[in-house]
Amino acid sequence: MKSHQTAQTMKPATAAKKLGVYLEATPAEFREGVVSRAELNALQADPPEWLRELRRDGPHPRPVVAAKLGISNSGLARGGITEPLTTAQIEALKAENPEWLQKERATQAEVRKEAARIRERNAGRDEQSAQPRS
């Protein structure tokens, strides 16, 4: 008896998210089909020109915009940014450095500092629990 392994497929929105690109900016043939795991791996390993261009120039989806600005997705929303931005728009926003962006970057820095403190605390606990008791 042969076991048939079907190709794992995903919706274009899922594939776009995994590729870090804005779905609406992808070619129609990408948006209208399904993407197999093998196709996704091929796109990641050897991206076609349209994918390289989207990653370089945008428009970028919200998580990518937030990462490029060094803030959270929530911070992006609090700053009133709801639409995808191009790389040029992101660079212009960085250069302008509005007050809300400064505040969100400071908030994000505090969040990272607290996460590092908790990791260190937990690592200390793990070391203590690993030591044999006498």
Side-chain angles (χ1 to χ4, degrees), residues 31-125:
R31 287 192 309 264
E32 294 165 2
V34 293
V35 181
S36 72
R37 175 67 62 188
E39 290 169 330
L40 179 68
N41 290 342
L43 287 170
Q44 289 172 324
D46 186 23
E49 183 56 35
W50 65 265
L51 182 54
R52 286 194 300 270
E53 189 175 310
L54 269 180
R55 286 177 169 169
R56 182 178 56 245
D57 302 327
H60 302 288
R62 290 175 46 85
V64 174
V65 173
K68 286 179 178 275
L69 291 173
I71 61 176
S72 67
N73 280 337
S74 300
L76 205 57
R78 286 189 293 271
I81 306 295
T82 57
E83 298 298 316
L85 298 179
T86 64
T87 300
Q89 290 170 314
I90 293 168
E91 293 305 319
L93 198 52
K94 283 180 178 178
E96 184 183 320
N97 202 16
E99 187 177 330
W100 70 265
L101 182 56
Q102 294 173 33
K103 182 179 176 212
E104 290 301 334
R105 283 181 166 168
T107 300
Q108 193 65 20
E110 287 298 317
V111 167
R112 286 189 193 107
K113 192 186 314 181
E114 179 64 9
R117 186 190 68 78
I118 290 170
R119 274 193 307 275
E120 286 177 23
R121 184 195 69 196
N122 291 344
R125 286 181 181 172

